[in-house]
Amino acid sequence: MTAPDPDGLLAEQLLRLTRRVHRIQKRHLEHRDLGITPAQSRLLRTLAHYGSPPRMADLAERLEVVPRAVTTLVDGLEAAGKVRRVPDPANRRVIRIELTDDGRAALRELRGARRSAAEEILAPLTDEQRALLGGLLDTLIDGPGPDTGEGRRTA
């Protein structure tokens, strides 16, 4: 008989939560009837973080996907009027991607859908549990602090 694997259980719980979050966000997105896929939503959110229109290669790197995947996403968003391709002012061979006014409006709707999904997911938690979860998630996202050392658990 093997001993229980608490880290394996945590990993499974994280994967199940990730899938649940994705499903709920997708449902909230579909209810907004924006005609935007979760992948397109991610591209729009990423695009909004740039100070000036990025190149396709920049988006691919930031999204950690192959450039062809970005081309497909941009094609769909461009056809829907959410983004447009614009020439680089310094190098006419380079194409940059910028949000349109419709794209910015879609982003506002997307933020609302994400907020609604988060409210649904977090509904069973008390304020104290939410604060604790937020702290734990920060630790997981940021990694170990300078005093904890790599791979060492702290109480």
Side-chain angles (χ1 to χ4, degrees):
M1 192 170 205
T2 61
D5 178 9
D7 288 341
L9 175 61
L10 283 173
E12 181 61 28
Q13 288 173 309
L14 284 171
L15 290 172
R16 287 175 54 209
L17 177 60
T18 299
R19 286 191 294 266
R20 181 168 184 250
V21 167
H22 181 76
R23 270 192 323 273
I24 291 171
Q25 284 184 341
K26 185 176 179 184
R27 182 169 35 84
H28 281 265
L29 193 60
E30 288 168 353
H31 283 134
R32 303 267 175 154
D33 200 26
L34 294 173
I36 294 174
T37 67
Q40 289 173 329
S41 167
R42 184 170 174 236
L43 187 138
L44 285 175
R45 289 191 321 270
T46 300
L47 190 54
H49 290 299
Y50 282 92
S52 61
R55 299 172 306 139
M56 294 264 221
D58 299 328
L59 288 168
E61 184 178 328
R62 176 84 59 96
L63 292 169
E64 298 179 345
V65 298
V66 296
R68 177 71 189 125
V70 171
T71 300
T72 301
L73 293 172
V74 169
D75 287 347
L77 289 168
E78 187 176 38
K82 308 294 187 227
V83 301
R84 70 177 143 254
R85 289 173 165 93
V86 294
D88 184 304
N91 182 347
R92 65 185 181 144
R93 293 175 297 179
V94 174
I95 299 297
R96 297 193 172 266
I97 309 303
E98 71 179 9
L99 282 170
T100 63
D101 290 340
D102 282 351
R104 280 187 271 289
L107 267 173
R108 286 189 292 277
E109 286 291 320
L110 291 169
R111 286 184 189 112
R114 287 173 58 108
R115 211 172 298 111
S116 297
E119 288 170 10
E120 180 178 336
I121 292 163
L122 298 173
L125 301 180
T126 65
D127 289 344
E128 293 79 21
Q129 289 171 323
R130 288 177 188 214
L132 177 61
L133 177 61
L136 293 170
L137 290 173
D138 282 344
T139 300
L140 291 174
I141 291 166
D142 298 337
D147 298 325
T148 61
E150 276 293 320
R152 212 174 83 210
R153 287 190 175 171
T154 58

